[in-house]
Amino acid sequence: MSEQGVPGEQTPDAAAWAAWSASLADAVQALAERASLTVTGPEGSARPVRLRKARLGGFIPAKHEIVTPWVRLARSEDFLRGSCVGAELIGAHFPLSPDEDAALRALGWHHPTPTDGEDYLRFWPDDVPQGPFLPRAEAERAAVMVAATFREVLAVGAPDLPTTTG
């Protein structure tokens, strides 16, 4: 059922996100060993981050930086490692609300362990790989999760997201 309730019919927005997800799944499957791709949110999704509190009664002002959310997908042997910009709630710097943190975890992102850094993590496949690097179904699961991260949690309206490879 579509978002409008008509069976078999998608809204233009849902169709655009589905096409974007399919394109991302193609890019994920094409990753070379140790290569990665990063999807960055649009300018409107950036948020101010306080790097330093004001000191000396305000004589030294607080220092802020504008940070854009991102998701990085990196190939490591037969696995795909996903990293999502970390939240202040888990010791990182990006300002996410408790509701946004809960929504990320509901999508399947995990809080990092002390040795994993400050960003949310996810691995595909969930279990021991059953063949060469990432079957299509797993690449699609990863792409749909990235799309949902931007669309549902970070409220990005259109899937016009810059993607860079590294």
Side-chain angles (χ1 to χ4, degrees):
M1 179 121 26
S2 76
E3 292 175 15
Q4 294 178 338
V6 179
E9 189 177 311
Q10 287 186 321
T11 64
D13 184 52
W17 279 103
W20 183 85
S21 295
S23 177
L24 182 60
D26 292 340
V28 164
Q29 283 199 292
L31 285 174
E33 174 64 28
R34 298 189 188 275
S36 66
L37 61 85
T38 303
V39 180
T40 308
E43 192 174 303
S45 65
R47 298 178 185 180
V49 174
R50 185 176 65 193
L51 301 176
R52 177 185 71 216
K53 292 182 179 181
R55 296 183 277 173
L56 298 174
F59 182 71
I60 299 175
K63 183 175 181 181
H64 291 84
E65 179 178 87
I66 302 298
V67 176
T68 303
W70 52 265
V71 172
R72 182 172 299 115
L73 300 173
R75 179 177 175 181
S76 180
E77 297 178 6
D78 293 334
F79 290 95
L80 182 68
R81 176 189 171 125
S83 303
C84 180
V85 65
E88 291 173 324
L89 296 168
I90 59 173
H93 301 289
F94 194 75
L96 291 172
S97 71
D99 288 343
E100 289 170 323
D101 173 69
L104 285 173
R105 289 185 290 114
L107 287 175
W109 292 104
H110 302 288
H111 285 168
T113 65
T115 59
D116 289 328
E118 300 176 334
D119 304 319
Y120 293 90
L121 295 173
R122 179 73 160 92
F123 286 89
W124 293 272
D126 292 327
D127 203 352
V128 177
Q130 299 299 315
F133 175 66
L134 218 56
R136 180 68 186 187
E138 292 292 329
E140 289 172 353
R141 284 181 55 215
V144 166
M145 186 169 157
V146 172
T149 297
F150 283 101
R151 181 181 182 190
E152 298 169 17
V153 179
L154 299 169
V156 173
D160 186 19
L161 304 173
T163 303
T164 57
T165 56

